[in-house]
Amino acid sequence: MDRADRLLSGALLLLRRAEVRIVSGGPTDLELVVPGGGAVAVKVKVYGRPPTPSIVEGLRGGNREDRFLLVTPRATSYLRGLAAEGVVDLIAVEEGRVIIGGVEHIGTASTEAGSGDRGLRRGRRPWTRWAVERLLLLAEQPVTQVELAAVLRVTQQSVSHVLRGHRFASRTDRGWVIGQRAEALDGVLAEYPGPGGVSTYWYGLDPVVRQAEAAATWCAESNVGCVLTGDVAADVYAPWRLPAVAGLYSGGLLDFTAAGFTPATDAEYTLVVTVPQDPTVWRTAAAAAQPTARVDPAAVDEVLPVRVDPIIALHDVLASAGPDAAEAGEHLRRAILDGAWRG
């Protein structure tokens, strides 16, 4: 999770602590309900350092019709003054400060804005390359550039750029394949940072698999796409350990209290829902959900995926808590390499 994602995840946690309900939206737009029942629609702007007056005025000058929620680590006196007047809304994550509609709430600072993101790569991430590698590793038959591009909805040129000179990919008369699969898979796992994105945390009392099903049902009823990940997905691909936490990637932010969950902290939760930064999550999930071993772009368009592809599931299992995470990951890793992950 990069700096901006950490700040926004921390901001969402602070909103709930301030009893401001997140109804729907995504990383850039939120529908909120403030204490007392008033509805608020805001454009979210995240800044790694407090924005200067010129930045704020430039933002407001070009968008007079919009209401802005500024998310930053700390609040300057200038920002506090604007927020107090209701000119902008403000969340200072490291201070635990929330000002919505001129009303200030001060709580405990969120740990989501910590410095754990130091050293992460900056700039644009090669999501397409990682997705192509996952598709080829999971494919049981050669896949053409045309098919790869169609599955991922990218240009053939971008796929060609990925495959040209690739260390493990080679072309056959029927398409592309990955050689030295164990080494290639370990390379992907070592480099891929995960789908990233903004997370919200929830607590439920039901068994974890049932919680995941309830959350997925609520997403479907809200017309928001989602896919299961982590232990819950691995429990289908290669059952081994009892899931302790339910993980979902969602197409938007939702309030899961209506689904029977209680808002939780990032330190103690049973369900984590993330709006991913990686746009390829949905397409590789659909490809993995195909009932046949062949990668068929037309079939991918018809599939409603339920869980992430096995390699993303493996990444999330390895990143999960618990002393047996590595052993659980190795179980799924072996199923991927053996082609035994299909349910």
Side-chain angles (χ1 to χ4, degrees):
M1 187 181 294
D2 64 22
R3 177 66 165 171
D5 289 341
R6 286 181 181 275
L7 283 169
L8 187 49
S9 294
L12 298 181
L13 181 58
L14 287 172
L15 282 173
R16 292 198 300 276
R17 289 175 178 171
E19 299 183 352
V20 177
R21 189 159 60 91
I22 303 165
V23 178
S24 64
T28 60
D29 300 89
L30 289 176
E31 295 287 339
L32 307 175
V33 174
V34 299
V40 179
V42 295
K43 299 286 187 182
V44 182
K45 297 294 180 180
V46 182
Y47 298 94
R49 62 184 64 182
T52 63
S54 62
I55 291 175
V56 176
E57 290 306 312
L59 178 68
R60 295 182 59 238
N63 303 273
R64 289 293 181 184
E65 301 300 318
D66 294 326
R67 177 170 178 172
F68 291 98
L69 171 60
L70 308 183
V71 177
T72 183
R74 299 167 303 283
T76 60
S77 58
Y78 167 74
L79 293 175
R80 289 196 302 270
L82 285 184
E85 294 173 5
V87 176
V88 297
D89 298 318
L90 175 67
I91 300 179
V93 179
E94 293 178 1
E95 299 172 356
R97 186 187 304 273
V98 177
I99 306 176
I100 304 292
V103 179
E104 181 170 0
H105 310 265
I106 299 179
T108 304
S110 171
T111 60
E112 275 294 314
S115 59
D117 55 325
R118 291 177 183 174
L120 290 179
R121 76 168 61 230
R122 302 298 181 184
R124 188 173 182 178
R125 289 176 170 171
W127 300 120
T128 297
R129 173 166 66 81
W130 289 324
V132 167
E133 290 170 340
R134 295 199 308 274
L135 287 175
L136 290 178
L137 279 165
L138 295 172
E140 297 178 25
Q141 299 177 8
V143 189
T144 68
Q145 286 189 23
V146 173
E147 290 170 330
L148 289 167
V151 168
L152 296 176
R153 289 180 177 166
V154 298
T155 65
Q156 291 186 43
Q157 183 179 6
S158 63
V159 174
S160 176
H161 179 73
V162 168
L163 296 174
R164 189 183 306 118
H166 193 284
R167 181 182 177 188
F168 299 110
S170 59
R171 187 174 184 174
T172 71
D173 58 353
R174 293 188 298 137
W176 289 82
V177 296
I178 285 279
Q180 299 175 265
R181 296 179 67 251
E183 188 175 351
L185 176 58
D186 291 342
V188 170
L189 292 171
E191 185 183 8
Y192 183 62
V198 179
S199 300
T200 58
Y201 303 89
W202 307 87
Y203 191 88
L205 298 176
D206 289 336
V208 166
V209 173
R210 193 174 301 169
Q211 290 187 40
E213 293 170 349
T217 298
W218 177 240
C219 286
E221 291 175 354
S222 304
N223 295 317
V224 173
C226 77
V227 283
L228 306 176
T229 190
D231 283 340
V232 178
D235 196 46
V236 175
Y237 288 134
W240 190 80
R241 72 171 178 175
L242 187 66
V245 172
L248 276 76
Y249 290 109
S250 167
L253 294 167
L254 290 174
D255 182 359
F256 285 88
T257 56
F261 293 91
T262 302
T265 70
D266 52 331
E268 185 175 357
Y269 58 91
T270 59
L271 168 71
V272 55
V273 183
T274 302
V275 179
Q277 188 181 41
D278 184 350
T280 70
V281 166
W282 315 103
R283 302 296 290 175
T284 60
Q290 289 184 281
T292 63
R294 177 172 174 264
V295 177
D296 183 354
V300 167
D301 288 331
E302 299 172 357
V303 170
L304 181 64
V306 175
R307 60 194 62 86
V308 296
D309 72 63
I311 296 176
I312 289 183
L314 174 55
H315 172 278
D316 290 352
V317 167
L318 292 173
S320 65
D324 57 349
E327 193 171 356
E330 179 56 31
H331 190 74
L332 178 53
R333 175 182 177 275
R334 180 48 53 191
I336 292 170
L337 293 175
D338 292 344
W341 55 270
R342 292 183 182 275

